[in-house]
Amino acid sequence: MRILLIGPPGAGKGTQAVRLAAHLSIQHVSTGDLFREHIDQGTELGQNALTHMRAGLLAPDEVTIEVIRERLARPDAERGFLLDGFPRNLAQAEALDGILADSKPRLDAVLDLEIPEAQVVRRIAGRRLCRQGREHIFHVEHSPPEVAGACDVCGGELYQRDDDRATTVRKRLEVYRSETAPVVDHYRAQGLVTTISALGQVQEVLDRALVAIGQARSMPPVRRAVAPSTGKVRGCRP
Ligand code: AMP
């Protein structure tokens, strides 16, 4: 199964991606995490990505597409994957279409996480990550750790991402609007997109996503949207 998760910064992509991938027994592939691994290892690619991340900009396409091509070619991606944070512009979407050209279907579903911009800065400002487990994500208000500054799962130190500071977040939002939003339209034209409200508890959003994926796999391509209040999927043929 191949799924894309798209949404603005702060929509909870990382949080949902980890849970969805575990639930569906597929690989969670995050370009942001792949870059952060390179940064931790001190590679040249990591240094290059870090410059762009700190400015709230996208890393160059050639580098990003190569990182993804290499990751998806590994045997553990054969069973399926959930892409989190890729593609982020049309050039990357077209490159992904090429990488998956021999797979049928190329993609099973594209989930578009929707959140009002006013919520984004607040959500991101409180986000804390664990230095030892990238999938351990906390929020100082919504899901605080039991001991401030320490991960509940492994005791690792919690920290705030450099690019989660307010000015960088505003730039990331601008980039999302101009470069990533057209990617949703690219897949909408293929009848693959389901829009899900990212508001509510983590479990509520996860349930909406699972309903949407179930529907997407059992239906021919349709235009789909999940009603925020009910979590029910609305669909209509293009
Ligand atoms: P994320 O963890 O997905 O929020 O990504 C963190 C940062 O990594 C982004 O703000 C970009 O600077 C960079 N990045 C992640 N994914 C991509 C991508 N598909 N294309 C270009 N840059 C990316």
Side-chain angles (χ1 to χ4, degrees):
M1 193 187 319
R2 299 184 201 89
I3 299 194
L4 302 191
L5 197 55
I6 301 184
K13 289 191 300 298
T15 302
Q16 293 299 333
V18 171
R19 288 163 175 76
L20 282 168
H23 192 94
L24 301 167
S25 302
I26 55 178
Q27 288 298 312
H28 168 213
V29 176
S30 150
T31 34
D33 283 353
L34 291 168
F35 285 143
R36 283 183 284 273
E37 276 167 28
H38 274 276
I39 292 166
D40 291 349
Q41 290 158 11
T43 68
E44 198 179 319
L45 190 154
Q47 279 309 310
N48 182 358
L50 183 60
T51 315
H52 293 84
M53 282 164 98
R54 284 203 169 130
L57 299 172
L58 296 183
D61 283 342
E62 320 81 76
V63 177
T64 311
I65 290 165
E66 259 336 285
V67 163
I68 276 291
R69 192 190 302 282
E70 187 277 322
R71 179 65 189 86
L72 297 187
R74 289 191 218 159
D76 65 359
E78 258 170 42
R79 245 184 83 82
F81 50 78
L82 184 145
L83 281 184
D84 157 16
F86 184 94
R88 262 179 152 103
N89 62 24
L90 282 176
Q92 294 181 9
E94 280 158 15
L96 182 65
D97 289 348
I99 292 171
L100 301 178
D102 293 336
S103 317
K104 297 235 170 349
R106 279 194 271 199
L107 293 169
D108 294 277
V110 176
L111 301 185
D112 164 37
L113 284 181
E114 194 175 54
I115 179 166
E117 286 197 7
Q119 296 277 336
V120 165
V121 176
R122 228 176 121 227
R123 271 203 184 189
I124 291 191
R127 175 159 70 181
R128 297 293 180 271
L129 304 189
C130 171
R131 289 209 187 274
Q132 304 200 23
R134 295 198 190 289
E135 67 282 18
H136 309 154
I137 303 172
F138 297 84
H139 191 282
V140 291
E141 280 172 47
H142 308 308
S143 53
E146 281 178 18
V147 177
C151 175
D152 288 355
V153 184
C154 67
E157 184 195 351
L158 299 185
Y159 72 103
Q160 182 176 37
R161 274 170 49 171
D162 268 1
D163 58 343
D164 274 357
R165 298 176 203 279
T167 43
T168 315
V169 170
R170 275 189 270 279
K171 183 69 199 167
R172 285 163 67 198
L173 269 172
E174 251 175 68
V175 170
Y176 180 81
R177 267 185 247 118
S178 61
E179 303 215 31
T180 310
V183 172
V184 179
D185 296 332
H186 172 83
Y187 291 114
R188 207 184 296 283
Q190 299 175 27
L192 285 169
V193 174
T194 303
T195 298
I196 300 166
S197 167
L199 295 177
Q201 298 297 313
V202 169
Q203 186 62 43
E204 288 170 342
V205 181
L206 181 65
D207 289 344
R208 277 175 214 143
L210 288 170
V211 169
I213 291 169
Q215 295 266 359
R217 299 193 76 210
S218 63
M219 279 189 212
V222 290
R223 286 200 298 271
R224 293 177 286 258
V226 177
S229 53
T230 62
K232 289 194 179 130
V233 175
R234 306 188 302 264
C236 58
R237 300 199 181 277

